[in-house]
Structure formats: C-alpha cells, structure tokens
Amino acid sequence: MFLINTIKRKIFPFYKEKNIKKIFSILNDKNKINAMLVGGCVRKYLSNDEVDDIDIATILTPEKLIEKFSKSEFQIKETGIEHGTITLIKDGKTYEITTLREDISTDGRHAKVSFTKDWKKDSERRDFTINAIYLDHRGKIYDPQNGQDDLKNKIVKFIGDPTQRIKEDYLRILRYIRFSIHYHSKIEESTIKIIKLNLNGFSNLSKE
C-alpha cells in the first residue's frame, strides 16, 4: 500500500489538484511566477507523507489577492490580513495564501511584519530549514536554506541563530521537539542547551 501511494503521489502530485491549479492560474502572470507552495505541504510531499494543509507564499499584497479572487469561485476569508494572510475556501477545502514578509519586531509569539518581494528574505524568517522549501506550480523547487538535504538526512535545524529563532516565537521549542520525534532526528546537544536557557519564554504562551 505504501508503494502504491508513493507511485500515485508521483504520478498525480498534490499541486496538480484542480483547485490549486486554478489558484495558480489566477496568481501567476503569463511569464512570471508570483506564488509558490511552501511549508508543511512541501515538506510532507517530499517526505511521501499525506499532504493536508495547503500554504502558498506570494509577492502579491493582501489587497491585490482580494482583488484577484473577488470574482472567482473561491470564498475569501481575511483570516490574518494584518500579517498578510487570506484563506480561500472551495469544495470544503481551505488554501492559505500569505504575502512574503520580514519580521520587524516580535514579542516572543507574535511579530510585526513588513511585506517584501524577496523570496530569500521570506525564507530567513521561517523556523526550520525543512519548512523553508518552496515549490512552484510546475513542481520546480526553490530551496534557499538547503532544507531538502536536511529532510533527506532527517535533520531538524533552525534557520540562522537558534537563540534568535526561539526568542521570536517560543512555540518553536515545541515544534522542534515534535519534528525531531516525527523524523527521528538526532538532537544536537548545543541546541538542547539553547532550548533549556529559553524555557522561561513559555510563560508568554497561551495554554492552548
């Protein structure tokens, strides 16, 4: 069954699903790629895991996104528009689209952001290398943080300085542990030391 599912995913990759193809046809210009899939859906696809949540990154502003989809068959939800995110709904499925961004400041959980058109800068604000792999509508990979290699080698690695990444969002400690368990990753002692030094940051998190 695993082999059959793997073959099916290769022949019928998730990004060829009709709604996703429609979204990209609306987002992309004829000769310019304005949007790519990113995050968990790409990581799971490359790991042969089941793809569920669809996240798309784009150079287009939230206002432009709303304008583009206002006359489409997709229902638009302004779920996090102040942070550049809208959610599209169609056929009972949701598709989250977020404008490329940079962090200006953080409080240990939430960030003030500015929008950008620089894909590398957007990748630098993400948590782990394995979550900063971009995939375009043709299946071409853009991997500025070398996340594919880490995924193949089952390495969960913070992007840049682990201390800075954790202080930006203390929830990343739990995410690091969760991904390390899921991918049977070897946990580096230096990272554990940094995590221990920042455990007090959990007081900033909600119980949920």
Side-chain angles (χ1 to χ4, degrees), residues 147-188:
Q148 281 188 102
D149 288 342
D150 289 338
L151 194 59
K152 290 175 183 176
N153 295 316
K154 299 185 182 300
I155 296 172
V156 180
K157 183 191 299 181
F158 283 100
I159 294 172
D161 178 11
T163 300
Q164 181 181 343
R165 291 283 84 81
I166 290 171
K167 287 185 176 181
E168 288 169 349
D169 184 353
Y170 288 100
L171 189 62
R172 287 172 175 168
I173 292 175
L174 295 180
R175 287 170 60 79
Y176 177 83
I177 294 170
R178 178 165 69 88
F179 287 136
S180 295
I181 292 171
H182 180 79
Y183 291 107
H184 306 286
S185 172
K186 180 181 178 181
I187 299 177
E188 295 183 355

Side-chain angles (χ1 to χ4, degrees), residues 20-69:
I20 296 177
K21 288 176 68 175
K22 181 63 177 178
I23 289 171
F24 278 122
S25 71
I26 294 173
L27 289 174
N28 289 331
D29 296 330
K30 185 176 181 180
N31 297 310
K32 183 180 180 182
I33 293 176
N34 293 325
M36 290 191 281
L37 294 145
V38 71
C41 60
V42 180
R43 169 172 47 80
K44 291 175 182 178
Y45 168 67
L46 295 175
S47 301
N48 288 321
D49 292 334
E50 189 68 30
V51 175
D52 40 26
D53 296 338
I54 302 298
D55 290 302
I56 298 171
T58 181
I59 63 173
L60 304 176
T61 65
E63 292 77 19
K64 189 66 176 178
L65 292 175
I66 292 172
E67 177 186 329
K68 276 183 169 289
F69 287 97

Side-chain angles (χ1 to χ4, degrees), residues 90-154:
K90 189 174 184 294
D91 301 329
K93 298 179 180 179
T94 59
Y95 308 86
E96 195 168 274
I97 308 179
T98 302
T99 305
L100 303 188
R101 52 195 181 175
E102 302 176 72
D103 288 346
I104 298 174
S105 63
T106 66
D107 61 6
R109 182 64 189 99
H110 303 98
K112 291 183 179 180
V113 301
S114 64
F115 300 139
T116 180
K117 293 186 177 182
D118 189 321
W119 293 91
K120 189 172 186 295
K121 284 185 177 180
D122 182 77
S123 75
E124 290 170 351
R125 69 170 296 278
R126 297 180 181 273
D127 50 8
F128 310 111
T129 60
I130 60 175
N131 285 334
I133 307 170
Y134 301 80
L135 180 76
D136 73 13
H137 66 289
R138 300 164 300 188
K140 185 177 180 180
I141 292 287
Y142 174 59
D143 186 14
Q145 303 299 329
N146 298 315
Q148 281 188 102
D149 288 342
D150 289 338
L151 194 59
K152 290 175 183 176
N153 295 316
K154 299 185 182 300

Side-chain angles (χ1 to χ4, degrees), residues 66-82:
I66 292 172
E67 177 186 329
K68 276 183 169 289
F69 287 97
S70 61
K71 295 181 181 179
S72 74
E73 298 174 353
F74 293 90
Q75 180 185 359
I76 304 171
K77 293 285 187 181
E78 298 180 13
T79 46
I81 196 165
E82 69 277 7

